[in-house]
Amino acid sequence: EVQLQASGGGLVQAGGSLRLSCAVSGFTFDHYAIGWFRQAPGKEREPISCITTGDGNTYYADSAKGRFTISNDNAKNTVYLQIDSLKPEDTAVYFCAADFVPVCKFLMEAGPRPGYWGQGTQVTVSS
């Protein structure tokens, strides 16, 4: 059973930074894609960034370029999302998803498969 647990969210003032973590377990593939999405109240799910674990290739949505940095620690089966210069519009639930197709563009555009994403972590940015 694939389990993904996002953590690291919280309440932060605008201009601050957060590092979100996504711990992955139960995934039997050596090379897969892990992506971050967010969803704000009343808005559609938005892809943010993705990384493939085998080669470290990264993908950023246009809206995420510049302030978001994705990285992974294969030894810990954990993917991180560093968010800098936080803005109130970054307020959302952030969650991570995995896909055994190790192509970020696929995961970002098709979205998470059922059962391959976990509960999110709330990020609230105050102005």
Side-chain angles (χ1 to χ4, degrees):
E1 179 185 1
V2 177
Q3 292 188 333
L4 298 103
Q5 181 62 55
S7 61
L11 174 62
V12 63
Q13 287 190 331
S17 298
L18 280 174
R19 189 177 80 155
L20 308 182
S21 299
C22 174
V24 183
S25 61
F27 217 78
T28 59
F29 296 87
D30 292 330
H31 187 194
Y32 52 94
I34 298 288
W36 284 96
F37 298 79
R38 70 183 182 186
Q39 187 162 20
K43 294 188 176 181
E44 292 187 355
R45 182 185 65 216
E46 178 185 7
I48 300 299
S49 183
C50 173
I51 191 167
T52 49
T53 60
D55 52 18
N57 282 337
T58 59
Y59 172 103
Y60 293 93
D62 288 342
S63 61
K65 292 178 181 177
R67 297 189 298 117
F68 294 75
T69 305
I70 194 169
S71 62
N72 70 305
D73 185 335
N74 286 335
K76 296 182 178 180
N77 291 328
T78 301
V79 172
Y80 305 98
L81 184 69
Q82 176 76 29
I83 314 173
D84 297 317
S85 303
L86 279 156
K87 304 176 181 180
E89 51 264 42
D90 292 322
T91 296
V93 175
Y94 287 70
F95 63 95
C96 52
D99 202 286
F100 49 79
V101 176
V103 178
C104 276
K105 195 172 187 294
F106 174 82
L107 174 58
M108 293 285 98
E109 293 184 356
R113 301 175 191 264
Y116 284 79
W117 55 284
Q119 291 186 341
T121 184
Q122 175 71 47
V123 171
T124 303
V125 184
S126 62
S127 57

